[in-house]
């Protein structure tokens, strides 16, 4: 997967249509939300999953969805170095997942209100905004790849939760 960390949340692309009624997408989202909300996860949803949306591009079709996650424990929500460690680990894990030609994740450290860090540097509570995109030659294949990308993101978040628990345990011990 191609992964990019950015300083501000990019604008949404226009002309996209919401993916509606696809059972595989609904199941992927349900599984993702259950995993993020599980005891294995340090995170919770700060902003509900937007999308997925499909859009026609010059190279075929793109399916994208956006979400914002924050640390469940409020004591970690303003820890900037912990957020940077989270981003670093997510980038490392996601780069190894899926195809760089068909899957892309854009990650941004934001205030929990949703604006990019560049615009809201003085906000205390931080969140990680993620846009996941998948490309294909048909909208159906793009949607399917997006669901697979969401599963990769889910696994990366759970692994990162374990990694950060060890880091937090060492820091307090």
């Amino acid at each position: 997967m191609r992964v990019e960390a950015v300083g501000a949340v990019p604008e949404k692309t226009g002309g996209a249509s919401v993916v509606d009624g696809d059972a595989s997408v609904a199941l992927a989202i349900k599984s993702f939300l259950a995993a993020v909300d599980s005891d294995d996860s340090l995170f919770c949803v700060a902003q509900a999953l937007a999308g997925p949306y499909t859009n026609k591009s010059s190279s075929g079709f793109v399916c994208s969805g956006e979400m914002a996650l924050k640390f469940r424990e409020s004591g970690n929500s303003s820890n900037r170095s912990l957020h940077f460690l989270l981003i670093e680990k997510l980038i490392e894990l996601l780069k190894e997942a899926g195809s760089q030609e068909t899957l892309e994740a854009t990650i941004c450290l934001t205030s929990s209100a949703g604006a990019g860090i560049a615009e809201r540097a003085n906000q205390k509570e931080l969140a990680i905004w993620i846009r996941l995109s998948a490309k294909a030659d048909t909208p159906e294949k793009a949607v399917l790849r997006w669901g697979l990308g969401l599963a990769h993101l889910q696994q990366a978040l759970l692994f990162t939760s374990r990694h950060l628990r060890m880091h937090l345990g060492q820091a307090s011990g």
Side-chain angles (χ1 to χ4, degrees), residues 57-68:
S57 72
S58 59
S59 60
F61 291 88
V62 177
C63 181
S64 299
E66 302 173 356
M67 71 210 71

Side-chain angles (χ1 to χ4, degrees), residues 47 110-115 120 123 125:
Q47 177 185 334
T110 70
S111 72
S112 61
R120 294 280 189 93
Q123 293 294 320
E125 226 178 76

